[in-house]
Amino acid sequence: MHAENVHKSFGKLEVLKGVSLEVTKGETVCIIGPSGSGKTTFIRCINHLEKMDSGRIEVNGHLIGYRQRGDELVEDSERNIARQRTEIGMVFQRFNLFPHKTALGNVIEAPVHVLGTKKDQAVGLGTALLGRVGLADKIDTYPGKLSGGQQQRVAIARALAMGPALMLFDEPTSALDPEVIGEVLEVMEELAAAGTTMIVVTHEMGFARKAANRVVMMDDGLIIEEGTPEHFFEAPRHTRTRQFLSKIL
């Protein structure tokens, strides 16, 4: 993923003030920072859920949301944008599962209807993915009968079912009860260890320390510091980073 000088405003409020970030294949990057620093807006721009005002974002070598026309970028067609999004998995704070479909039904929905995967093939894939996130025994269970942590793990399996080049996580544990946060982080740690390319907006510093290759600090619409977890948690350079970490660690 390559993001270059991304700007985004909502009315007069400038939320992103020129964000650039490179994430290489197989890397896990955690984005931390205070509320209102632009973290969620930035990752929503990556899959064009928010339209950036200027800059460029590429995933897997493809421009996202736009195409080049001469020296300028013009917004792409909805059809092309939908196709681009199949390369990007997104896991939200809220699970957004279909309540009328089982865990397996939720996971196979997009491969069947978006990618055109044969039903029996999708069922095999979905069953394997639900096993991978520790829910082999919940295949036929509806979301209303699952805990928050189980629903979030179904949401992760659903995103993985599309075979994405990049996985985005927007504070995936913030809506969960404390006792189930660990089961979701465990799945994410396994994905990171397996070389899944991930950008994770999180307040879970234990996860960032353990699973991230790099940690990025955002404040007031800008990336102000980035480095390895060791650098971040033992010797951060920026005063604002030190202040932020002292309050949450």
Side-chain angles (χ1 to χ4, degrees):
M1 194 285 303
H2 172 77
E4 186 181 321
N5 203 26
V6 175
H7 287 257
K8 173 68 180 176
S9 295
F10 295 101
K12 291 182 178 175
L13 179 64
E14 192 179 13
V15 178
L16 301 177
K17 301 177 180 178
V19 176
S20 297
L21 182 66
E22 191 90 33
V23 178
T24 56
K25 190 171 191 236
E27 193 177 22
T28 294
V29 174
C30 285
I31 302 179
I32 67 170
S35 296
S37 58
K39 307 181 301 294
T40 290
T41 300
F42 176 55
I43 68 163
R44 286 175 66 86
C45 285
I46 293 173
N47 68 355
H48 207 61
L49 286 174
E50 296 290 355
K51 298 176 185 180
M52 60 186 176
D53 297 328
S54 63
R56 65 189 290 131
I57 295 173
E58 295 176 8
V59 172
N60 223 14
H62 306 142
L63 264 173
I64 298 296
Y66 299 88
R67 54 198 159 82
Q68 194 88 36
R69 185 189 285 164
D71 291 337
E72 62 176 358
L73 295 181
V74 293
E75 190 162 13
D76 215 334
S77 68
E78 280 300 323
R79 184 177 178 178
N80 281 347
I81 291 167
R83 188 167 44 78
Q84 290 162 355
R85 282 202 189 110
T86 64
E87 296 189 52
I88 306 168
M90 181 89 173
V91 179
F92 300 88
Q93 294 178 24
R94 295 277 167 192
F95 330 116
N96 299 333
L97 299 177
F98 294 116
H100 61 289
K101 290 185 179 291
T102 63
L104 183 61
N106 270 279
V107 173
I108 69 173
E109 175 77 9
V112 169
H113 294 289
V114 178
L115 298 182
T117 305
K118 289 195 171 79
K119 178 99 182 268
D120 56 348
Q121 197 178 338
V123 166
L125 171 68
T127 302
L129 285 171
L130 286 167
R132 186 177 178 185
V133 300
L135 293 173
D137 59 336
K138 301 292 184 184
I139 284 172
D140 297 322
T141 306
Y142 288 88
K145 300 284 187 187
L146 296 172
S147 72
Q150 290 169 335
Q151 288 187 62
Q152 192 62 295
R153 285 186 281 154
V154 173
I156 292 171
R158 176 182 60 183
L160 290 170
M162 297 294 280
L166 172 66
M167 287 281 286
L168 304 175
F169 294 82
D170 182 16
E171 297 193 22
T173 58
S174 66
L176 299 178
D177 292 331
E179 67 266 23
V180 298
I181 287 173
E183 66 193 42
V184 174
L185 294 178
E186 198 175 307
V187 169
M188 292 169 62
E189 284 168 17
E190 187 269 324
L191 293 177
T196 309
T197 312
M198 296 160 59
I199 301 176
V200 183
V201 171
T202 186
H203 289 299
E204 298 291 339
M205 295 302 125
F207 172 80
R209 192 189 287 264
K210 189 172 178 183
N213 300 103
R214 262 188 306 147
V215 181
V216 170
M217 170 79 181
M218 284 187 71
D219 188 45
D220 196 27
L222 289 166
I223 290 174
I224 61 168
E225 187 165 359
E226 60 179 286
T228 63
E230 292 75 22
H231 156 83
F232 243 85
F233 296 111
E234 288 161 30
R237 287 186 300 271
H238 201 289
T239 308
R240 186 70 186 91
T241 309
R242 291 197 295 270
Q243 284 174 341
F244 177 73
L245 290 172
S246 72
K247 285 179 181 167
I248 63 170
L249 289 176

